[in-house]
Amino acid sequence: MLVPKLRFKDESGKDYPEWVKKKFENLAVCFDSKRIPVEKNRRRSGDIPYYGANGIQDYINDWIFDGEYVLLAEDGGHYNEFAIKPIAQYVKGKIWVNNHAHIVQANKDNSSCFLFHVLEHKDIRKYINGSTRGKLTQGDMWKILLTVPSLSEQEKIADFLTTYDHMIDIQSQRVEAMKTRKKGLLQKIFSQEIRFKDDQGQDYSEWGKNIFGKVIQRKSKTALSTKDLPGVEYEDIISGLGRLNKNIYEKQSGKKGIVFSKGDVLYGKLRP
């Protein structure tokens, strides 16, 4: 049995009961039969979120669900990128859901918010069908095995993690504000509206124009990828962030590629 490293106490300071393994079908109820997909050209603009497999697709003027739910991607979810991208969403209030996301709600003995946190980054690939566009059927969804505590401990855990989510949201808003400010500064710097001084407080020399090929050195040394020299492909990099989305040391594709070093700049040749 999985024993969590961090455990909460009950209101009397005593330990909660041990966690137990249960199939998802024993933890929640499903409302998939009430979903209604609406083609984009038939949607009327509004303030009600219209959800798909991986988040809000649009805002419309009507709703079919009102409450607290967990949406679990039915097809096209981030199943292979579960560690860095969510496969589940926690929603509250009036919403519309299309047929690309399962819509479930915890039964009376469990917490929907807790189930969301358990599922958000869970590896469920063994339950997925299809090689190109993965699909999680309702039957396979019910087979997902989860280790869960009592309802009271679930609620404490959910409250704790939700607080962290709020803190992350606040920090994310600050980061976005800083990104916007950086874009503005970049425009002013590269248009030379803003100029820096040297260490003596003197102006630097005027900028000059040059051909890109004269200011860079293109690397051409090639080698086969190995466990000590892993290969990196376009699909391994998170767009816009430049971070890897997987452990490339596990790939060992044996393909030939350009050898690069720390500090080098990579650019896409086929899909820039």
Side-chain angles (χ1 to χ4, degrees), residues 68-240:
E68 180 186 28
Y69 301 95
V70 177
L71 307 183
L72 185 58
E74 178 173 347
D75 60 271
H78 303 305
Y79 310 119
N80 292 322
E81 301 172 279
F82 67 92
I84 58 172
K85 294 183 179 181
I87 65 167
Q89 305 159 72
Y90 177 67
V91 297
K92 293 180 72 174
K94 293 180 172 64
I95 60 169
W96 193 294
V97 181
N98 67 20
N99 58 357
H100 295 291
H102 295 296
I103 178 165
V104 300
Q105 193 175 62
N107 60 28
K108 63 181 180 62
D109 297 319
N110 296 280
S111 158
S112 291
C113 189
F114 174 82
L115 293 180
F116 157 71
H117 285 295
V118 172
L119 292 167
E120 184 181 16
H121 293 289
K122 186 173 179 60
D123 183 2
I124 62 169
R125 287 175 293 182
K126 65 181 180 180
Y127 303 100
I128 303 301
N129 300 287
S131 56
T132 53
R133 184 177 174 84
K135 183 177 179 65
L136 176 67
T137 66
Q138 187 178 131
D140 286 325
M141 176 184 71
W142 287 140
K143 297 175 185 176
I144 295 174
L145 196 62
L146 300 176
T147 306
V148 297
S150 64
L151 175 58
S152 181
E153 189 174 4
Q154 285 185 32
E155 291 172 340
K156 278 203 171 185
I157 293 171
D159 288 344
F160 176 76
L161 294 177
T162 299
T163 299
Y164 260 86
D165 280 341
H166 290 328
M167 293 169 63
I168 291 171
D169 287 341
I170 292 171
Q171 291 300 325
S172 296
Q173 292 172 17
R174 291 174 178 169
V175 169
E176 289 304 313
M178 292 178 68
K179 286 181 178 179
T180 301
R181 177 167 171 75
K182 179 186 174 183
K183 288 179 181 177
L185 288 172
L186 285 172
Q187 292 176 355
K188 291 183 178 182
I189 289 172
F190 291 118
S191 68
Q192 300 180 59
E193 183 181 339
I194 294 178
R195 292 294 303 272
F196 290 90
K197 304 285 187 180
D198 64 18
D199 293 337
Q200 285 73 44
Q202 302 297 315
D203 291 336
Y204 282 106
S205 58
E206 292 301 312
W207 292 27
K209 291 183 177 181
N210 212 331
I211 297 173
F212 187 58
K214 292 184 177 181
V215 296
I216 59 106
Q217 179 181 0
R218 185 177 178 184
K219 292 201 165 183
S220 58
K221 180 183 176 182
T222 62
L224 293 174
S225 65
T226 65
K227 65 177 181 179
D228 297 317
L229 185 66
V232 176
E233 297 177 280
Y234 182 84
E235 292 77 10
D236 303 331
I237 301 173
I238 304 173
S239 177

